[in-house]
Amino acid sequence: MKFITNIKISHQFLIYLILVILASLLFCFLYVNKFSHIIDDNNNMVIQNITFGHGALISNLLENGTYSRKFYNDIDFVLEKLPVHPLLIFLIANFTKNFYLIVIIKNLITFSILYWVIIFYLNSLKLKIHYLYIYLLIFLVPYNMFIALSFDFADNITSILLPSLFLILMSNINQKYLISTIIIFFLYLTKTSMLFVCLAIPIVIFLFDNKKSFTSKKNIIFLGPICAILIWGIFSYLKTGRVAIGTNSLTINSLGLTISSDDRFLDYYPDKSVDILLFKIHMPSKLKNEWELYDYYKSKNKDHFSKEGNLKKYLMTLPKKIMVILFYIKRDSAHPDADGKFKNPIRYSLIFSKFFINFSILLSLYSTIQSIRKNSSFKNDFIFMSMLGLSLMPLVAGWATAKHLVPISILCYFYTIYKIQIFKKIIKN
């Protein structure tokens, strides 16, 4: 540790970037070995082959300058994906099409954000630099590293931004609420599962942070969600004639509820991919645009829940989803192999993730109870519990897979390390 602390921060950052590059290259080799169709003979990324619907969207941006992709019934969907992740890949692809460089540049950007957030946080609390490496240990868990290094779904960005938001809120940085505003802005436009975090955390800060030094500065945090809502709402209105906002930010959200409330849902979840169930749900051919699809499934959901017993059936799926979030350690969302079999081996990386999720919940409850008994502040514990609970709400309402839980497990790990630091300070004093 003495050797590490003697190295200048700037030099440590260069070493860190080299490690990020090496990790990215390892990820690329493993990815290409399994999914060779992602590159052509010149090692250029075949953008169209990026999964989860991002490929067609980014390709259309590159070729036609249009933010949309063909989905059901050859309809142009503008509001199927939030913009941060596809725009990031699009911007990098404007400079290079090389698969390895795209992944490396993306990871240099995201992991640099994480590095400096941790450094600012440590400096503001006058903590030793070696804590940087303790925080980064969580990325040595293979599945966490895989998700954070990935390029084909937005969870790679939330895996960085959600834990970063927590550290900034725990810090004493003079401009912490300005930085929090920026992070919340990007979180809102990255994943719909971050909606409640982005809307409610500013309220939590407004009500609970009573430090005089931040009294006049904390209100700026409301600008994050407000600006994100306005930008996405105006964009959607200009492109589709309707404002997309809140739980209606994406026009496929109502279809998601149809899937999660389907009577066959638990026949698939969590072992089998719910995408298989999606293909078994009837989609009428009369739909002409994405809002018609949204309205159709919204009306269908309303009719479904109005029938006796359906709401109860849906609520009965919630305990299973919670159990998956807390304890499920097998490979989930599997597709059938060549023999039509679903393989769900134990994913050992998830043991660490589940441990920190469960441990942090118990730790935060214990710490809050102790604070109430001693009549001391439990603000930071409440911020963590709010971030955790608000992140899990959409996943319990819909469904959670292992990749959805990576940002949350990293958040829980960061909270655990933060509490250890606080306890050490208390013992010393």
Side-chain angles (χ1 to χ4, degrees):
M1 288 301 176
K2 285 184 179 180
F3 172 75
I4 292 172
T5 54
N6 288 332
I7 303 175
K8 291 182 179 179
I9 294 292
S10 58
H11 293 168
Q12 290 188 44
F13 182 52
L14 288 175
I15 295 170
Y16 173 80
L17 293 182
I18 291 171
L19 292 174
V20 170
I21 291 171
L22 293 174
S24 299
L25 286 172
L26 176 61
F27 167 85
C28 289
F29 290 132
L30 293 173
Y31 193 95
V32 169
N33 186 55
K34 190 173 182 179
F35 306 107
S36 58
H37 61 278
I38 196 62
I39 61 170
D40 61 19
D41 293 337
N42 297 315
N43 289 323
N44 289 326
M45 182 183 284
V46 182
I47 302 290
Q48 187 72 32
N49 290 340
I50 299 177
T51 54
F52 299 98
H54 287 111
L57 174 61
I58 299 169
S59 291
N60 202 25
L61 268 171
L62 288 167
E63 294 169 11
N64 305 311
T66 305
Y67 189 91
S68 67
R69 78 139 176 156
K70 297 288 185 183
F71 187 39
Y72 167 73
N73 204 24
D74 208 31
I75 296 171
D76 282 319
F77 273 71
V78 177
L79 306 175
E80 185 199 0
K81 301 289 181 184
L82 288 172
V84 168
H85 175 256
L87 287 182
L88 177 59
I89 302 300
F90 162 73
L91 290 172
I92 298 171
N94 272 292
F95 291 97
T96 178
K97 298 297 189 298
N98 183 277
F99 171 73
Y100 299 93
L101 285 178
I102 289 174
V103 174
I104 288 171
I105 293 170
K106 191 278 295 181
N107 289 331
L108 287 176
I109 293 170
T110 55
F111 276 87
S112 292
I113 293 170
L114 178 67
Y115 179 91
W116 288 110
V117 163
I118 297 175
I119 291 295
F120 293 153
Y121 158 79
L122 294 175
N123 288 340
S124 74
L125 297 180
K126 298 179 180 179
L127 295 167
K128 293 180 180 179
I129 189 63
H130 68 255
Y131 274 112
L132 167 67
Y133 305 97
I134 295 173
Y135 277 105
L136 293 175
L137 278 176
I138 191 65
F139 291 97
L140 293 182
V141 176
Y143 192 72
N144 291 348
M145 179 64 83
F146 174 82
I147 297 300
L149 293 172
S150 66
F151 63 92
D152 44 0
F153 37 74
D155 303 271
N156 76 82
I157 296 176
T158 55
S159 295
I160 300 295
L161 293 186
L162 184 65
S164 294
L165 176 61
F166 172 74
L167 288 186
I168 290 297
L169 292 175
M170 295 301 103
S171 74
N172 286 325
I173 301 171
N174 190 40
Q175 298 299 328
K176 74 178 200 174
Y177 288 126
L178 175 60
I179 298 171
S180 299
T181 296
I182 296 170
I183 294 175
I184 288 173
F185 172 83
F186 283 104
L187 272 177
Y188 183 95
L189 295 174
T190 300
K191 281 278 279 192
T192 52
S193 60
M194 295 291 106
L195 171 67
F196 297 118
V197 171
C198 295
L199 295 181
I201 288 300
I203 299 172
V204 171
I205 296 302
F206 178 77
L207 295 175
F208 283 86
D209 194 344
N210 297 316
K211 277 190 177 182
K212 290 183 180 180
S213 56
F214 293 115
T215 301
S216 60
K217 298 177 181 178
K218 65 181 181 181
N219 294 338
I220 195 174
I221 198 170
F222 286 100
L223 287 178
I226 290 172
C227 290
I229 289 168
L230 286 174
I231 288 172
W232 189 242
I234 292 170
F235 172 77
S236 69
Y237 182 77
L238 292 175
K239 292 293 184 179
T240 68
R242 282 174 61 172
V243 175
I245 187 172
T247 55
N248 304 333
S249 293
L250 300 180
T251 46
I252 60 168
N253 283 351
S254 59
L255 176 57
L257 181 57
T258 299
I259 295 171
S260 63
S261 60
D262 191 283
D263 291 339
R264 299 164 290 181
F265 178 78
L266 291 183
D267 294 335
Y268 292 83
Y269 182 79
D271 295 331
K272 303 175 184 178
S273 173
V274 294
D275 289 343
I276 302 170
L277 177 58
L278 169 63
F279 295 124
K280 296 184 178 182
I281 292 176
H282 171 68
M283 292 188 180
S285 58
K286 64 180 181 180
L287 304 178
K288 297 178 181 178
N289 61 61
E290 60 185 309
W291 281 115
E292 284 191 11
L293 180 138
Y294 173 83
D295 292 335
Y296 171 80
Y297 285 106
K298 183 178 180 180
S299 176
K300 187 176 180 180
N301 294 335
K302 186 177 180 180
D303 292 341
H304 177 76
F305 287 120
S306 66
K307 294 177 182 177
E308 187 177 354
N310 283 341
L311 178 59
K312 183 179 178 181
K313 287 180 183 178
Y314 169 72
L315 293 176
M316 291 299 291
T317 67
L318 302 189
K320 177 68 174 288
K321 296 173 186 177
I322 294 171
M323 292 297 289
V324 169
I325 289 169
L326 295 178
F327 303 113
Y328 193 76
I329 59 171
K330 291 185 178 180
R331 177 176 179 253
D332 58 16
S333 300
H335 286 270
D337 60 16
D339 299 321
K341 296 179 180 179
F342 292 86
K343 295 181 180 179
N344 303 100
I346 291 175
R347 187 172 265 156
Y348 291 98
S349 291
L350 297 184
I351 296 174
F352 296 95
S353 298
K354 302 302 180 182
F355 170 79
F356 285 111
I357 290 174
N358 285 280
F359 181 76
S360 64
I361 291 171
L362 296 174
L363 181 59
S364 60
L365 290 172
Y366 170 79
S367 183
T368 301
I369 292 169
Q370 290 297 105
S371 297
I372 293 172
R373 284 178 177 175
K374 295 176 182 178
N375 198 28
S376 58
S377 174
F378 57 91
K379 178 194 73 174
N380 291 340
D381 297 305
F382 187 73
I383 289 173
F384 164 73
M385 288 190 289
S386 298
M387 290 183 68
L388 177 60
L390 293 165
S391 300
L392 290 176
M393 278 175 58
L395 302 182
V396 174
W399 62 88
T401 63
K403 70 183 178 68
H404 297 146
L405 294 172
V406 169
I408 293 169
S409 66
I410 296 173
L411 166 68
C412 292
Y413 174 79
F414 278 17
Y415 171 76
T416 301
I417 302 303
Y418 166 77
K419 292 303 292 185
I420 290 172
Q421 292 168 333
I422 297 299
F423 289 146
K424 284 181 70 175
K425 277 189 174 184
I426 293 172
I427 292 170
K428 282 183 180 180
N429 295 333

